Amino acid sequence: MKNNLGDITMEMPARWDTTLQWTDYSCNAESDRIKYRFQQRSNPVVLESGFIFSNYPEDSVNQLTIMHSGAAAPGPGGWKTMAEVHVGNKYYCTLLDANTQFSLDTIIRAGQDSFSILAPVFTDTTAYYHREVRVATIMNGQLLEFEFKLLSKTPQPGMNRFTGEALGIIRSTRLKYQR
């Protein structure tokens, strides 16, 4: 990971054959986000930017995006406990709809690390099939987020296993901290 944050090891599905990395710039450097995306080569590439908003395509999105602060170096952050991280993760999911329900709402341990896991249930969306799993943890004092996203107008193979597959990937995740 950039900025000497550390290394991540995880088991990825073979279909995610493309990796992208970019900085999502914001109005101030403290809000810049470094993003790493894993997706299928055949799907559209959408690199978000804090300056230009572009909606996701309504179809053909199946990806994992890992995000962390673009600050120059890791160090003590504002996140102290996984309970705080979980509340912040839930708040983010409810920004557009305070009544958001979750099919999965838990904190799990994988290896030596804990992860906040939420799977919001979407009822009002332009895509007929929308699955998302949001995961957050603390790495070297910084918030590290994982966003699994699937959007499709038609049923996709394995769609009913999407949340379980995301959970399996997180369970395989190991974080190695830079010292």
Side-chain angles (χ1 to χ4, degrees):
M1 314 233 15
K2 289 204 167 235
N3 296 345
N4 294 320
L5 189 61
D7 297 317
I8 299 176
T9 304
M10 58 184 15
E11 295 176 15
M12 294 286 217
R15 72 177 176 278
W16 288 342
D17 58 2
T18 299
T19 304
L20 310 160
Q21 183 272 312
W22 75 101
T23 300
D24 184 352
Y25 293 102
S26 188
C27 334
N28 57 26
E30 290 80 31
S31 298
D32 291 350
R33 310 278 292 150
I34 297 175
K35 296 185 177 185
Y36 312 83
R37 175 155 302 147
F38 305 89
Q39 69 174 53
Q40 292 170 269
R41 180 177 327 185
S42 60
N43 289 350
V45 173
V46 178
L47 305 179
E48 300 85 9
S49 166
F51 296 112
I52 301 171
F53 179 75
S54 172
N55 287 330
Y56 277 101
E58 291 181 9
D59 204 358
S60 303
V61 172
N62 184 336
Q63 65 194 24
L64 163 60
T65 306
I66 300 174
M67 304 163 271
H68 63 83
S69 171
W79 305 97
K80 305 290 186 248
T81 68
M82 279 309 298
E84 289 175 334
V85 169
H86 193 66
V87 168
N89 196 14
K90 191 175 275 191
Y91 173 75
Y92 180 85
C93 287
T94 59
L95 281 176
L96 295 178
D97 181 2
N99 298 315
T100 298
Q101 300 295 310
F102 300 94
S103 63
L104 184 60
D105 178 351
T106 190
I107 296 174
I108 67 163
R109 192 148 182 87
Q112 299 297 316
D113 302 293
S114 296
F115 296 87
S116 161
I117 301 182
L118 295 168
V121 177
F122 297 96
T123 55
D124 184 23
T125 180
T126 56
Y128 298 113
Y129 301 96
H130 184 175
R131 305 284 188 275
E132 193 171 310
V133 177
R134 291 200 48 84
V135 179
T137 191
I138 303 168
M139 185 172 187
N140 266 357
Q142 299 295 317
L143 184 66
L144 181 66
E145 299 171 276
F146 302 74
E147 179 185 74
F148 296 85
K149 187 172 280 195
L150 175 68
L151 298 174
S152 177
K153 286 192 181 268
T154 59
Q156 300 294 311
M159 184 168 274
N160 292 332
R161 297 185 310 264
F162 182 79
T163 300
E165 184 178 81
L167 199 53
I169 292 169
I170 292 302
R171 284 193 172 114
S172 79
T173 300
R174 298 297 176 263
L175 305 178
K176 181 179 173 190
Y177 305 97
Q178 298 292 335
R179 305 270 181 228

